[in-house]
Amino acid sequence: MSGFIDTRYNGVVGQRLQPLIEWLESSNSISWRSDALCAQTDPEAFFPGKGGSTQEAKKVCADCTVRKQCLEWAIDHDERFGIWGGMSERERRRYKKRTRHQ
């Protein structure tokens, strides 16, 4: 996806998509990231607007073989936007709290 430019994602949506675009374009794409189903899916589904549905993205994540690695990456990098590893930012915060106390 190197050099990915898509004018559909300018403005606020583009800002929310930027972490995913950078992640997909990173030089480490040979790792588990190349197996991520989200790389083959409309990225907008993973960054719904406020009050938007997360169900489409979570369905993709449910079938993804690298879901655990994705979730760990999002938590390790304190990702605050989007669906990563099948969880929203709010769900990741709760998950971090639960796992910290165990």
Side-chain angles (χ1 to χ4, degrees):
M1 279 190 107
S2 185
F4 176 78
I5 298 174
D6 192 333
T7 57
R8 293 179 300 167
Y9 304 121
N10 289 336
V12 174
V13 172
Q15 290 171 359
R16 289 195 319 254
L17 292 176
Q18 194 59 38
L20 180 61
I21 292 167
E22 289 173 7
W23 178 77
L24 292 171
E25 290 181 339
S26 76
S27 60
N28 296 327
S29 63
I30 306 286
S31 68
W32 61 269
R33 297 172 186 183
S34 61
D35 295 327
L37 290 179
C38 62
Q40 306 162 27
T41 309
D42 180 6
E44 200 165 335
F46 294 86
F47 295 89
K50 189 172 184 167
S53 176
T54 60
Q55 295 309 306
E56 182 181 342
K58 289 181 178 184
K59 284 180 186 176
V60 172
C61 293
D63 293 330
C64 188
T65 60
V66 295
R67 180 179 176 179
K68 182 179 178 186
Q69 294 94 325
C70 179
L71 178 60
E72 289 172 0
W73 185 90
I75 289 171
D76 291 347
H77 292 87
D78 197 30
E79 182 56 57
R80 297 180 188 260
F81 299 101
I83 305 300
W84 296 82
M87 292 187 185
S88 67
E89 194 272 334
R90 180 180 293 159
E91 292 166 328
R92 289 192 300 275
R93 277 197 316 258
R94 285 189 217 134
Y95 177 81
K96 280 174 68 171
K97 285 181 184 179
R98 275 196 326 262
T99 57
R100 232 184 312 172
H101 297 312
Q102 293 178 355

